[in-house]
């Protein structure tokens, strides 16, 4: 899962980015509305954390422009404590959820997981595929009832596949959801991660669809 964080307070942004990366998310950070607006319009994100008070271009304008361009990723806005009219403007512009400053970064993580899961079409938190269970609210995997330990990259690939289980996820789509914007990506890196995942969850659950991408399926389990 890859998150866009648009926040001009660098201390706050660092705290949110650190908390998200500790929970395996990939994070791109923009410090003003112009850069953030451009990233959200051109890159693929599972969700966005958008501050409303931003230099150059304010958050509500950024959000309105994304929605006008049919960029429909879930957006969690950050508002000032007494910003009632700001909240209303943000929801009218297409916000999905909000947090009032100050907040605990843990709450950002929990709200984002819920937004990403619902955007993928899952009302419930527990996603099962054969012997593999993903708790999309806690961000944890179990294999045959035992906790499955994954690296951040493995987690990003497997969660992207589980959120779309039984559906082929394009290789290019996976690359966008796994790597941060400034990462150097080897052409075969997704294959390497898939290979490591197959060692952990067995060789048959992740199906390679030649020329397209990958699919998590219970039929091979
Ligand atoms: Ca701000």
């Amino acid at each position: 899962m890859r998150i866009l964080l648009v926040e001009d307070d660098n201390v706050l942004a660092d705290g949110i980015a650190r908390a998200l990366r500790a929970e395996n998310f990939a994070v791109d950070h923009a410090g003003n509305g112009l850069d953030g607006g451009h990233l959200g319009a051109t890159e693929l994100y599972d969700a966005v954390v958008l501050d409303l008070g931003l230099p150059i271009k304010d958050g509500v304008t950024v959000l309105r422009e994304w929605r006008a361009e049919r960029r429909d990723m879930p957006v969690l806005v950050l508002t000032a404590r007494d910003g009632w009219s700001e909240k209303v403007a943000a929801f009218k512009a297409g916000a999905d959820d909000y947090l009032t400053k100050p907040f605990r970064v843990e709450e950002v993580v929990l709200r984002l997981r819920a937004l990403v899961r619902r955007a993928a079409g899952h009302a419930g938190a527990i996603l099962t595929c054969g012997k593999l269970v993903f708790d999309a609210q806690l961000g944890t995997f179990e294999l045959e009832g035992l906790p499955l330990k994954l690296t951040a990259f493995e987690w990003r690939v497997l969660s992207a596949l589980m959120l779309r289980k039984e559906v082929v996820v394009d290789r290019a789509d996976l690359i966008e959801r796994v790597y941060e914007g400034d990462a150097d990506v080897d052409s075969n890196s997704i294959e390497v991660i898939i290979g490591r995942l197959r060692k952990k969850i067995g060789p048959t659950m992740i199906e390679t669809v030649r020329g397209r991408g990958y699919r998590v399926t219970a039929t091979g389990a």
Side-chain angles (χ1 to χ4, degrees):
M1 291 180 198
R2 182 179 174 210
I3 305 296
L4 173 61
L5 169 61
V6 191
E7 169 59 73
D8 60 314
D9 178 335
N10 280 326
V11 175
L12 179 58
D14 283 352
I16 295 172
R18 202 174 306 125
L20 288 173
R21 288 186 179 117
E23 295 291 339
N24 297 326
F25 290 91
V27 183
D28 289 355
H29 172 231
N32 65 65
L34 189 67
D35 293 345
H38 177 71
L39 283 173
T42 54
E43 301 277 312
L44 181 64
Y45 293 101
D46 289 290
V48 179
V49 181
L50 178 66
D51 186 30
L52 293 183
L54 291 168
I56 307 179
K57 192 188 275 189
D58 70 90
V60 169
T61 302
V62 169
L63 183 52
R64 199 176 289 128
E65 289 177 359
W66 285 338
R67 296 320 193 202
E69 293 161 22
R70 298 289 180 266
R71 305 295 288 187
D72 61 357
M73 63 284 191
V75 173
L76 168 65
V77 297
L78 307 178
T79 72
R81 191 182 320 196
D82 50 359
W84 164 246
S85 58
E86 209 178 42
K87 266 175 224 162
V88 171
F91 275 108
K92 284 183 175 169
D96 297 279
D97 196 3
Y98 73 91
L99 267 175
T100 303
K101 294 178 180 180
F103 50 78
R104 304 267 310 207
V105 288
E106 292 86 345
E107 197 172 351
V108 179
V109 172
L110 290 166
R111 284 180 188 265
L112 284 177
R113 285 208 199 101
L115 287 171
V116 170
R117 162 171 64 81
R118 291 204 198 96
H122 303 291
I126 306 297
L127 308 181
T128 303
C129 191
K131 59 193 176 181
L132 187 65
V133 177
F134 178 43
D135 185 326
Q137 197 56 38
L138 299 179
T140 53
F141 283 93
E142 282 187 359
L143 184 69
E144 293 177 323
L146 296 172
L148 180 64
K149 285 202 74 165
L150 299 173
T151 67
F153 285 122
E154 291 164 0
W155 186 91
R156 290 173 198 166
V157 169
L158 195 55
S159 61
L161 293 173
M162 276 299 273
L163 284 169
R164 296 157 194 81
K165 61 179 179 151
E166 305 292 348
V167 171
V168 180
V169 181
D170 288 347
R171 213 175 141 276
D173 183 301
L174 269 182
I175 288 173
E176 289 223 59
R177 292 180 197 280
V178 167
Y179 293 98
E180 298 186 349
D182 53 3
D184 265 334
V185 185
D186 282 349
S187 59
N188 69 339
S189 58
I190 292 290
E191 286 75 1
V192 171
I193 297 169
I194 294 282
R196 288 200 208 114
L197 280 169
R198 282 176 176 148
K199 283 192 183 124
K200 291 188 177 180
I201 67 170
T204 56
M205 285 198 67
I206 304 175
E207 190 180 81
T208 302
V209 181
R210 197 178 293 269
R212 285 196 56 199
Y214 300 94
R215 181 170 79 129
V216 160
T217 174
T219 55

